[in-house]
Amino acid sequence: ISVLRGIEGQLPLLAELRDIAGAQLEVANGQPGPAVSSLANRLNAMSAANKPLAIYWLGIAKLLSDQEPVQREGVLQLLHLPAVYGKQSPELAAAALYRTMGTFHTWKDDSAQSAIRRELLGQYGQTYYGAKVLAELSPNSPPGTNPWTSPRALKPMAWMNEPTTISPQFHATE
C-alpha cells in the first residue's frame, strides 16, 4: 500500500484504486477503519470503472460487524453488484454472491443460502466462484474443503488468503 500512496494528480482512477486497496487491507485484517470510512464517504463520487469494486469491499466490511443490521446492509450492498454490474463484471458479481451465501449460512438461513447458490451457479457458473461451489457440492470433495464447515472457515477472513482469479472487467457504463 505504501507504494500506492504516491499516486495522485493526473491519475484519478488509480488514486481511487489506491483508496480501495487501503480499505481492502483494513478488511483483510478484520478491522475496518478510516480507509473504509473514507471510501464510504466518497462512493457516490467514484468513477463508474471503480465503483463496483468499492461497493464490494464496503459490503464485505459490513459483514465483519457484530451487529446483524449492519451485516444486512452489507448483504444488500453485495447483492447490488450482480443486479447492476453482473454482465460487465461477472467475476466480481460471483464473488459477492459467494460471500453472501456464506453469510446466510452463518445466519442458518438455508432457503436464502440455496437461492443465492442457485443464482451463482445459474448466472455465474463459469466463474471461479461458480466452479468453487460446484467443487464444494461434489460428493468426491475431500473432507474439510467445504468452506462453511471446515475448521479453516472458523478463522475470521481466512478466505482472504486464498488465491483467486478475480480480474475486474469494468466498463465505464452504469
Side-chain angles (χ1 to χ4, degrees):
I1 297 296
S2 62
V3 172
L4 297 176
R5 286 190 189 116
I7 298 173
E8 297 292 338
Q10 303 287 342
L11 306 169
L13 291 177
L14 288 178
E16 288 176 356
L17 286 174
R18 176 208 56 218
D19 296 343
I20 292 169
Q24 178 185 6
L25 182 62
E26 289 180 356
V27 171
N29 289 327
Q31 298 179 349
V36 170
S37 296
S38 175
L39 188 62
N41 290 335
R42 296 183 27 225
L43 182 63
N44 290 335
M46 190 140 302
S47 68
N50 290 330
K51 194 170 192 175
L53 193 57
I55 291 169
Y56 177 81
W57 286 109
L58 291 171
I60 296 295
K62 287 182 179 181
L63 294 184
L64 293 175
S65 173
D66 56 358
Q67 300 173 9
E68 192 172 318
V70 175
Q71 291 174 351
R72 290 194 182 281
E73 288 176 21
V75 165
L76 289 175
Q77 278 187 298
L78 291 173
L79 290 175
H80 177 83
L81 290 169
V84 176
Y85 302 102
K87 290 204 185 315
Q88 67 194 48
S89 300
E91 291 287 348
L92 190 62
L97 288 172
Y98 187 82
R99 303 303 176 214
T100 302
M101 194 172 71
T103 301
F104 284 123
H105 175 79
T106 301
W107 292 341
K108 298 182 182 346
D109 188 339
D110 294 337
S111 63
Q113 183 184 1
S114 293
I116 297 296
R117 184 184 307 111
R118 279 191 304 275
E119 178 73 10
L120 175 56
L121 293 174
Q123 297 297 316
Y124 306 102
Q126 78 286 1
T127 66
Y128 169 82
Y129 284 102
K132 186 172 175 69
V133 168
L134 283 175
E136 292 160 3
L137 294 173
S138 170
N140 298 326
S141 293
T145 58
N146 184 322
W148 317 122
T149 59
S150 69
R152 188 175 150 282
L154 302 176
K155 295 178 188 173
M157 304 305 284
W159 55 267
M160 286 297 300
N161 297 321
E162 294 177 4
T164 63
T165 57
I166 295 178
S167 56
Q169 301 167 353
F170 304 121
H171 302 285
T173 59
E174 236 181 303

